[in-house]
Amino acid sequence: AGHLDPLSSPVPSVSTKVGYLRPLTRIRPGERFPSFDHGEAAMVRSGALIAELITTTGSSLPLARFVEGDVAPSLARLSTPAFSLRYRSEEVTQIAWLRSGDEAPAAREQETRARDALLFASMQQITILTCLPASYRLYVELLRCASVSGNVCFDLPTHTELAARTCTTRETISREISLLRRHGVLSQGKSAQLLNTHDLLRRIARSLQLDDEADVWKSIGVAPLGSVDVIHAHQCCGGNRPSTDLH
């Protein structure tokens, strides 16, 4: 299976002819559903869908973002006893089902690649939940929150929600959040800001025995933060751009 950069387009969009698309279906913001009505793939015509992993505790973890032109695969055969998958509409979204057996080869290939990548990303998240200590699971979740927002600034979930997502206790989350704020990694307040993503990556790297930031991002299945974070990290380091060497 190919590698999936979560919360970005899973695979390159394809040029689509309306002839093999069914009429559009409009999905309201925040609406959640386990799969499409007829168990088939659908193309996003406008808006955005988030594919989420649902754990046995009911926690939801975003895996990938499908935008205009992306083919979102059916999730019907991707669930396991350890987790299930569902879609959530990020905004007003219109989708069109692909006509079974009549879609362009490029669209079918895109669907297959997206399905394989979603399964790969799901197994990555299960591995993180089962193999990393609670504090490191929190670090990964904070990086995921920043990745979802596309910035180092994001709305910090409640401690109860973070505990559910990382399969630990609220007390553990409260203690770790306080430590991160004390060490200058996370800002104060509900609208949080990652002040030093390099520090979080270095902590995770030690646990995973990795040396490079790019390898850490890939291993935890989270899309790297963009240039805004790089600029902010540059300022936080007194004008010295941080190296990706984590030694």
Side-chain angles (χ1 to χ4, degrees), residues 4-247:
L4 173 65
D5 289 331
L7 282 303
S8 62
S9 298
V11 287
S13 300
V14 295
S15 175
T16 308
K17 296 181 180 178
V18 177
Y20 62 82
L21 293 175
R22 292 197 176 103
L24 298 179
T25 296
R26 186 174 181 272
I27 306 172
R28 294 171 296 180
E31 186 174 344
R32 293 174 167 84
F33 49 96
S35 197
F36 302 114
D37 287 352
H38 302 289
E40 300 172 355
M43 176 163 284
V44 178
R45 304 298 286 172
S46 65
L49 290 177
I50 303 294
E52 299 179 321
L53 181 148
I54 312 302
T55 67
T56 54
T57 62
S59 303
S60 61
L61 301 172
L63 292 178
R65 186 170 184 263
F66 295 83
V67 296
E68 181 178 352
D70 289 338
V71 174
S74 169
L75 303 178
R77 294 185 295 274
L78 290 180
S79 297
T80 75
F83 63 83
S84 60
L85 299 178
R86 72 181 178 195
Y87 285 114
R88 171 174 56 85
S89 179
E90 189 178 51
E91 55 192 87
V92 175
T93 301
Q94 289 186 315
I95 62 171
W97 296 301
L98 297 176
R99 295 183 186 277
S100 181
D102 191 34
E103 64 269 28
R108 174 59 65 185
E109 179 183 359
Q110 187 179 356
E111 177 196 358
T112 300
R113 290 172 59 195
R115 184 190 300 114
D116 290 346
L118 277 178
L119 184 58
F120 177 75
S122 299
M123 298 310 298
Q124 275 186 314
Q125 299 311 315
I126 293 298
T127 300
I128 288 171
L129 289 175
T130 55
C131 296
L132 285 179
S135 57
Y136 293 89
R137 298 198 297 269
L138 173 62
Y139 305 156
V140 172
E141 189 56 34
L142 291 175
L143 291 171
R144 190 199 316 282
C145 289
S147 181
V148 171
S149 70
N151 203 327
V152 291
C153 301
F154 57 93
D155 289 332
L156 185 68
T158 65
H159 290 187
T160 300
E161 185 176 356
L162 285 171
R165 290 185 185 182
T166 55
C167 298
T168 188
T169 65
R170 187 182 182 281
E171 291 73 20
T172 298
I173 295 298
S174 297
R175 181 177 65 252
E176 292 296 332
I177 290 290
S178 296
L179 286 173
L180 290 175
R181 283 173 167 160
R182 193 180 309 151
H183 294 161
V185 177
L186 184 69
S187 67
Q188 300 287 339
K190 169 66 177 175
S191 182
Q193 184 175 13
L194 285 179
L195 303 176
N196 192 346
T197 58
H198 185 67
D199 184 81
L200 287 184
L201 292 169
R202 186 167 55 247
R203 294 171 187 233
I204 298 170
R206 284 199 299 265
S207 180
L208 297 177
Q209 298 182 350
L210 297 173
D211 296 325
D212 190 84
E213 281 189 7
D215 292 334
V216 176
W217 287 115
K218 185 175 181 180
S219 295
I220 65 178
V222 176
L225 298 177
S227 57
V228 172
D229 183 52
V230 173
I231 293 172
H232 186 78
H234 175 72
Q235 295 170 342
C236 289
C237 293
N240 297 318
R241 180 172 176 170
S243 168
T244 59
D245 185 354
L246 293 172
H247 283 304

